[in-house]
Amino acid sequence: MNEIDVLKKISSNLTERKNSAALSNYRVLCSNITFLNGAFSNAIDTLRALHGGITSSLKNDAFLNSPYKSGTDLNAFIPIISRLLLNSFSVFEKLAALTKPDERIHVTIENVSILSRGFDDYNNLITATRQYIDSIISDSYQLYLLDPKSLNYHVLVSLSSFSKYATKSLTHTLFNAEVESALNEFGSIKFKDWAKSHITECNHTTFAQKVDFLFSKLGAPSDQSLPDDLKNIFKFSSEFTHIGYISTFFTSTPGAEVIFGDDDGPYLPSTENFSELKYEVLETACKALVATYIPSLVQCLEKLMLKSQAGQFSTSLNFAAKTLSEAIGSRNSKYFFFVKVGLIGSATSIPLTCMCGSTRTWTPPHETSMLYCDSCGSSFQLLEVDGEGGYVITSNGPAKIIGANVPDFRDLPIAEQIKLLQQCEEVKKRHGSQPDSQPDSAR
């Protein structure tokens, strides 16, 4: 294959867009977006609520470690950290606003075109995503390091770029004699020396390097793919932010769309496609907040404050991270249900209650294509259990066998509950705690 062969393939395949298709369950996407967007927004609200207390504590010398008290050189970090946190909220809240679920209450066949998603929608979402992940990694990096030269580098590079095109009003707002003198000092340094000079330093100049550095210090995330996901979404967002060939081709090519529908009303393939991307962005944003920003903030506060004072905020921050992490884990998971042999394929409807709280009644003829939760998208796997037992002891706890003539675990006498829980603890000791585990024994 030569350059002309490649050119012809591009010409025949990337100049006219193919018809859109909906490849996911739109109702599940909307349910997951609603849930996760709420969890994301709650985490942001928690961070904003804590900001006031953090700022107040940072202003009190009695709560600070010696290197950061008033009159010391490093005390200059105190107002900077408070402002850095405050700036983050604008970026966080923008992404939260752009990842809300679609509103379909008043959508009909006649006006379904309002749900069509094109260039503006994709560009706004992905630009906000780029700002978010860039901000969260850069801020986490600075919060963890608390290094004067590193902070100088990032602020002066930004300030230098900003000053090149700033209007008089913007210049008046930001620049005074002190800022000008710092900028002039920076301007005397050759570009090749910016990353290592007498006033600036940056040992990790790229986004990918900062990601790798943070996880090397904060520990590997529970989702092992997150570092690569962050790098990939950074590259993906560059295509949209910089208006590349593919992003404009994909989002701006006109074409008629077929109309789909569900119990909530009509929608379009582009509506579902956009929601799928929205959910993926939202999930990655939540994971990044849990795995980088909150741990870096905890580390920062523990450097600045006395252990007793920092601990108060660390507890709240870690709880917020745990809550958000659990919310992520409740979506698109895999759960096992244990049923009596002979129940599947019978004339009996089987209730399957998901961990998200939604119940699917699996009606005869018990088609396997229906084994999923239409609220959170989790998949169900059924394991048939023979014998007279009523419960299965798993490493996650006792599970009632569906179809068994026994009460639910919570309706058992306390003594019976304790006995089952003790058996669960024995299982954990033997095999370790494994989520969504298969049965170890039946009772």
Side-chain angles (χ1 to χ4, degrees):
M1 186 184 298
N2 59 30
E3 73 276 14
I4 299 302
D5 294 325
V6 173
L7 181 65
K8 288 180 178 179
K9 292 180 185 298
I10 291 173
S11 178
S12 61
N13 290 280
L14 295 177
T15 56
E16 185 174 346
R17 184 178 167 187
K18 299 176 178 65
N19 291 330
S20 297
L23 304 178
S24 298
N25 187 312
Y26 182 52
R27 289 193 73 193
V28 170
L29 279 173
C30 289
S31 174
N32 282 342
I33 290 168
T34 300
F35 183 84
L36 207 52
N37 180 270
F40 183 49
S41 298
N42 288 339
I44 296 170
D45 289 343
T46 298
L47 290 172
R48 186 177 275 283
L50 288 172
H51 178 260
I54 291 172
T55 298
S56 178
S57 294
L58 289 176
K59 291 179 179 178
N60 190 335
D61 266 4
F63 296 143
L64 300 181
N65 286 319
S66 298
Y68 300 97
K69 290 181 180 292
S70 299
T72 64
D73 291 337
L74 294 183
N75 182 257
F77 270 116
I78 298 303
I80 291 173
I81 295 304
S82 180
R83 187 69 221 188
L84 193 68
L85 299 180
L86 192 60
N87 289 349
S88 299
F89 299 136
S90 298
V91 179
F92 295 174
E93 288 165 354
K94 179 181 179 181
L95 185 62
L98 289 171
T99 52
K100 291 185 180 296
D102 293 324
E103 177 58 67
R104 289 200 286 160
I105 293 177
H106 302 296
V107 175
T108 63
I109 294 292
E110 289 72 23
N111 68 1
V112 70
S113 60
I114 64 176
L115 289 178
S116 180
R117 300 294 181 242
F119 174 77
D120 285 350
D121 303 291
Y122 277 94
N123 192 50
N124 289 337
L125 173 64
I126 301 305
T127 299
T129 302
R130 173 58 174 265
Q131 292 170 339
Y132 175 87
I133 62 168
D134 210 349
S135 172
I136 206 169
I137 294 301
S138 294
D139 288 355
S140 297
Y141 184 76
Q142 296 301 332
L143 288 169
Y144 182 86
L145 287 179
L146 278 184
D147 178 75
K149 284 190 174 183
S150 178
L151 185 73
N152 289 348
Y153 173 85
H154 285 82
V155 173
L156 289 172
V157 167
S158 177
L159 198 58
S160 177
S161 300
F162 190 89
S163 67
K164 297 293 191 296
Y165 198 71
T167 62
K168 290 182 178 179
S169 59
L170 291 174
T171 301
H172 178 75
T173 301
L174 284 177
F175 293 85
N176 57 29
E178 289 188 343
V179 172
E180 289 284 0
S181 64
L183 201 54
N184 288 336
E185 186 71 19
F186 184 62
S188 68
I189 303 169
K190 294 180 179 180
F191 174 76
K192 66 181 181 66
D193 297 324
W194 280 7
K196 200 167 189 67
S197 74
H198 64 293
I199 61 171
T200 57
E201 183 174 270
C202 185
N203 294 318
H204 307 92
T205 55
T206 68
F207 178 84
Q209 288 173 344
K210 287 184 176 67
V211 169
D212 290 339
F213 171 78
L214 284 170
F215 286 118
S216 73
K217 296 298 183 181
L218 301 173
S222 57
D223 179 358
Q224 297 295 315
S225 66
L226 181 58
D228 285 337
D229 287 345
L230 289 171
K231 296 171 191 176
N232 290 336
I233 202 171
F234 185 85
K235 297 171 186 174
F236 177 75
S237 62
S238 295
E239 167 67 17
F240 283 87
T241 305
H242 300 154
I243 315 299
Y245 290 114
I246 304 304
S247 60
T248 49
F249 162 72
F250 172 73
T251 60
S252 62
T253 304
E257 293 190 83
V258 297
I259 299 176
F260 293 128
D262 56 27
D263 292 343
D264 296 329
Y267 65 95
L268 302 170
S270 68
T271 320
E272 186 277 329
N273 298 157
F274 186 70
S275 288
E276 186 175 11
L277 177 60
K278 190 189 296 182
Y279 178 77
E280 293 295 332
V281 162
L282 185 55
E283 185 179 50
T284 303
C286 290
K287 289 179 179 178
L289 192 66
V290 168
T292 63
Y293 187 81
I294 291 178
S296 295
L297 178 54
V298 168
Q299 294 267 7
C300 174
L301 296 181
E302 289 177 350
K303 287 182 184 178
L304 296 175
M305 297 181 188
L306 297 175
K307 185 176 181 179
S308 58
Q309 190 67 17
Q312 298 178 31
F313 298 113
S314 297
T315 299
S316 297
L317 288 166
N318 288 328
F319 181 76
K322 180 175 180 290
T323 302
L324 185 53
S325 184
E326 289 174 349
I328 300 167
S330 71
R331 308 290 98 182
N332 301 301
S333 297
K334 184 176 183 178
Y335 299 114
F336 290 98
F337 289 91
F338 308 104
V339 298
K340 281 288 187 183
V341 168
L343 195 59
I344 299 174
S346 70
T348 303
S349 294
I350 304 174
L352 303 172
T353 301
C354 181
M355 291 294 288
C356 75
S358 179
T359 298
R360 157 153 280 185
T361 302
W362 196 33
T363 58
H366 300 144
E367 296 178 0
T368 56
S369 61
M370 302 303 290
L371 287 176
Y372 71 92
C373 176
D374 58 8
S375 176
C376 72
S378 294
S379 61
F380 302 150
Q381 182 171 339
L382 305 187
L383 301 176
E384 292 187 292
V385 181
D386 203 356
E388 298 301 318
Y391 305 93
V392 169
I393 303 301
T394 77
S395 52
N396 278 335
K400 178 185 174 180
I401 300 171
I402 298 173
N405 188 26
V406 294
D408 288 336
F409 172 74
R410 62 178 177 273
D411 295 328
L412 287 171
I414 295 298
E416 287 293 309
Q417 290 187 29
I418 292 173
K419 186 177 179 180
L420 280 176
L421 290 173
Q422 287 174 339
Q423 292 181 45
C424 289
E425 287 302 315
E426 292 173 3
V427 169
K428 287 182 181 181
K429 290 177 181 177
R430 289 200 304 268
H431 304 293
S433 180
Q434 300 175 357
D436 310 326
S437 59
Q438 296 189 24
D440 291 292
S441 60
R443 173 186 180 274

